[in-house]
Amino acid sequence: MSIPLAERIRPKSLDEIVGQSHLMGEGKPLRRIIESGTIPNLIFYGPSGVGKTTIARFIAENANMTMYKLNGTSASVADIKQIIAETEMIGGMNGILLYLDEIQYLNKKQQQSLLEYIENGKITLISSTTENPYFYVYNAIISRSTVFEFKPVTPEQISPAIKRAFDLMAQDIGTEVMLEEGVVEHIARGCGGDVRKSINTVELCVLSAENGAKGELLVKMDTVRELTQRSNMRYDREGDEHYDILSALQKSIRGSDENAAIHYAARLIEAGDIISLCRRLLVIASEDVGLAYPMAVVITKSCVDSALQLGLPEARIPLAEAVIMLATSPKSNSAYMAMNNALEDVKNNGPLDFPRHLQNKHFDGADAKVRGQHYLYPHDYPDHWVKQQYLPDALKDRVYYEYGENKTEQAAKAYWAKVKGDKNG
């Protein structure tokens, strides 16, 4: 009983893994990689308790590799070098897999120390993070790795694992465990898509169960509700991201429902997770309000800065201001869509040449077809505008930005229609 239940109930085969069917289902990419036995460097991104460590272990066992595990919160360069030294020993004959949990806590120098060894193949790196790796993981490591995003597990997917956990607990203590109706479903719903947290809750429920008349243990709903609630609060305060709540918050603000938006913000604040709330509000200000009310970005940034300086409980006040302001503001995603359209062209066309008059050089080679820069300085012309080509020749008529149907953008549209129309006329 000294080994945690969540550890003892880990799946014994790929088919027993709970959730992640988009990665681990038949024919899905990560499953094919595992079954191939040839393992590249990988980054697992997603919330805690959804199977990242379990799958890393499966990979190591299936490839017959020696697995070492480090945690970014405590690992040092010396720890990494010690593992590298093992590659020269007999244990490294079949390859060494380093599972680096919470890689986002390693600084740049620590992450750089891995590069030489993952490039020469001495180690295979599987790192995991609960934060977006494109913000927190060194670019050189990302470029040498494949990123897989793990999702929170649904209550329907967690329920079978909870039942297995209750059965295993009953076997361990040699006593029948009786569950009131709805116990399994309540635990599955109440642990935020975290399988490990659900199994830990099962263990707590059995340890605190009441004795029945025939020597059995009774797990009652009142006990489950209390333990699940406490478990959930610990889960939230540890900083794990609640993707569903953040999604609901953004969609409520996008839909201009200030009451729903405040509700979801309050859930994050009650959990102490103001960092995720602040980040999402900054995204919303540009993605969903955008040019319909450009000052929304400035106000939101000011509220976020105030919240982070104040800390809880006072942080709730400027955050409430930002949430309600964003929800009740006019909406436009025109800038967001313009950037997406432009990025699509850049990906499809690569680095196209741009007009000679925009280049930052003032000398032409002997083979230049057009000599001289011929740039027209807009400030020398009425209304500070003059017609000239700015886009590359292949895209010269491309339109990325469409004015939104709101007062601010329509006023800008009318202004430039007058200025450009007059000059073109």
Side-chain angles (χ1 to χ4, degrees), residues 128-419:
S128 70
T129 175
T130 56
E131 303 286 352
N132 190 329
Y134 296 100
F135 296 148
Y136 290 91
V137 179
Y138 185 43
N139 284 338
I141 289 181
I142 289 181
S143 70
R144 293 161 175 81
S145 306
T146 302
V147 178
F148 287 104
E149 183 174 1
F150 285 60
K151 304 290 187 180
V153 185
T154 66
E156 293 75 20
Q157 293 170 326
I158 293 178
S159 292
I162 293 173
K163 292 174 184 176
R164 290 205 315 272
F166 273 119
D167 290 341
L168 182 57
M169 284 292 292
Q171 292 174 20
D172 285 344
I173 62 179
T175 303
E176 185 180 9
V177 177
M178 303 294 293
L179 310 178
E180 277 193 358
E181 185 177 353
V183 163
V184 171
E185 292 77 12
H186 188 85
I187 295 173
R189 290 194 306 271
C191 289
D194 185 329
V195 181
R196 182 171 56 242
K197 187 65 65 179
S198 299
I199 302 306
N200 290 341
T201 302
V202 169
E203 191 167 22
L204 291 173
C205 287
V206 174
L207 293 175
S208 59
E210 299 179 13
N211 292 314
K214 299 180 181 179
E216 75 277 17
L217 291 177
L218 302 176
V219 178
K220 296 187 175 181
M221 278 296 296
D222 288 343
T223 302
V224 173
R225 289 191 185 98
E226 184 177 1
L227 291 173
T228 304
Q229 181 181 20
R230 291 178 180 176
S231 175
N232 243 349
M233 292 311 297
R234 285 199 300 273
Y235 174 81
D236 290 340
R237 281 197 291 265
E238 287 170 2
D240 296 302
E241 291 185 272
H242 292 250
Y243 298 115
D244 287 342
I245 294 180
L246 291 170
S247 176
L249 169 74
Q250 182 163 7
K251 288 170 181 172
S252 298
I253 292 177
R254 184 182 296 150
S256 302
D257 188 330
E258 64 275 18
N259 295 304
I262 278 289
H263 169 79
Y264 294 117
R267 287 170 66 169
L268 291 164
I269 289 171
E270 180 64 19
D273 190 8
I274 66 171
I275 297 296
S276 295
L277 175 56
C278 288
R279 289 174 180 162
R280 188 56 64 104
L281 291 176
L282 289 169
V283 170
I284 293 168
S286 293
E287 180 180 346
D288 295 306
V289 176
L291 294 172
Y293 182 37
M295 280 299 293
V297 176
V298 179
I299 296 171
T300 301
K301 180 64 166 60
S302 179
C303 290
V304 163
D305 288 346
S306 296
L308 294 176
Q309 283 188 314
L310 289 169
L312 289 171
E314 287 83 2
R316 73 191 191 283
I317 303 169
L319 289 175
E321 180 181 351
V323 169
I324 293 173
M325 182 272 297
L326 292 171
T328 56
S329 292
K331 304 297 189 296
S332 173
N333 69 341
S334 57
Y336 169 78
M337 293 304 298
M339 178 57 75
N340 286 351
N341 294 337
L343 285 170
E344 189 66 25
D345 264 353
V346 170
K347 291 174 184 176
N348 291 336
N349 297 288
L352 296 171
D353 289 336
F354 40 92
R356 170 67 183 86
H357 57 273
L358 300 185
Q359 296 173 18
N360 188 32
K361 64 180 181 179
H362 306 282
F363 171 76
D364 295 300
D367 59 342
K369 294 181 180 178
V370 178
R371 303 181 69 81
Q373 190 163 17
H374 305 294
Y375 171 63
L376 303 178
Y377 188 57
H379 296 301
D380 289 341
Y381 294 84
D383 296 313
H384 303 270
W385 184 84
V386 61
K387 185 175 182 179
Q388 62 185 327
Q389 181 182 330
Y390 292 95
L391 278 168
D393 289 340
L395 301 172
K396 66 179 182 178
D397 297 319
R398 193 79 163 88
V399 175
Y400 297 116
Y401 171 63
E402 299 287 351
Y403 288 93
E405 297 296 330
N406 57 78
K407 184 171 68 174
T408 302
E409 289 182 87
Q410 286 300 305
K413 180 180 181 181
Y415 171 81
W416 285 111
K418 183 177 183 300
V419 170

Side-chain angles (χ1 to χ4, degrees), residues 84-103:
I84 299 304
E86 296 293 326
T87 62
E88 307 298 333
M89 307 298 181
I90 191 169
M93 289 179 60
N94 295 320
I96 284 181
L97 186 149
L98 172 59
Y99 180 61
L100 185 52
D101 197 14
E102 303 291 357
I103 190 176

Side-chain angles (χ1 to χ4, degrees), residues 6-58:
E7 187 68 23
R8 288 182 286 130
I9 204 173
R10 283 190 185 276
K12 302 297 189 295
S13 70
L14 292 178
D15 292 326
E16 289 183 5
I17 292 175
V18 176
Q20 313 312 326
S21 58
H22 65 297
L23 301 176
M24 299 301 298
E26 287 291 342
K28 295 301 182 180
L30 185 53
R31 183 170 186 136
R32 292 202 305 270
I33 289 173
I34 296 172
E35 292 173 342
S36 75
T38 302
I39 310 303
N41 301 302
L42 304 170
I43 296 176
F44 293 165
Y45 159 46
S48 295
V50 296
K52 299 190 294 293
T53 302
T54 296
I55 292 176
R57 287 182 176 178
F58 269 115

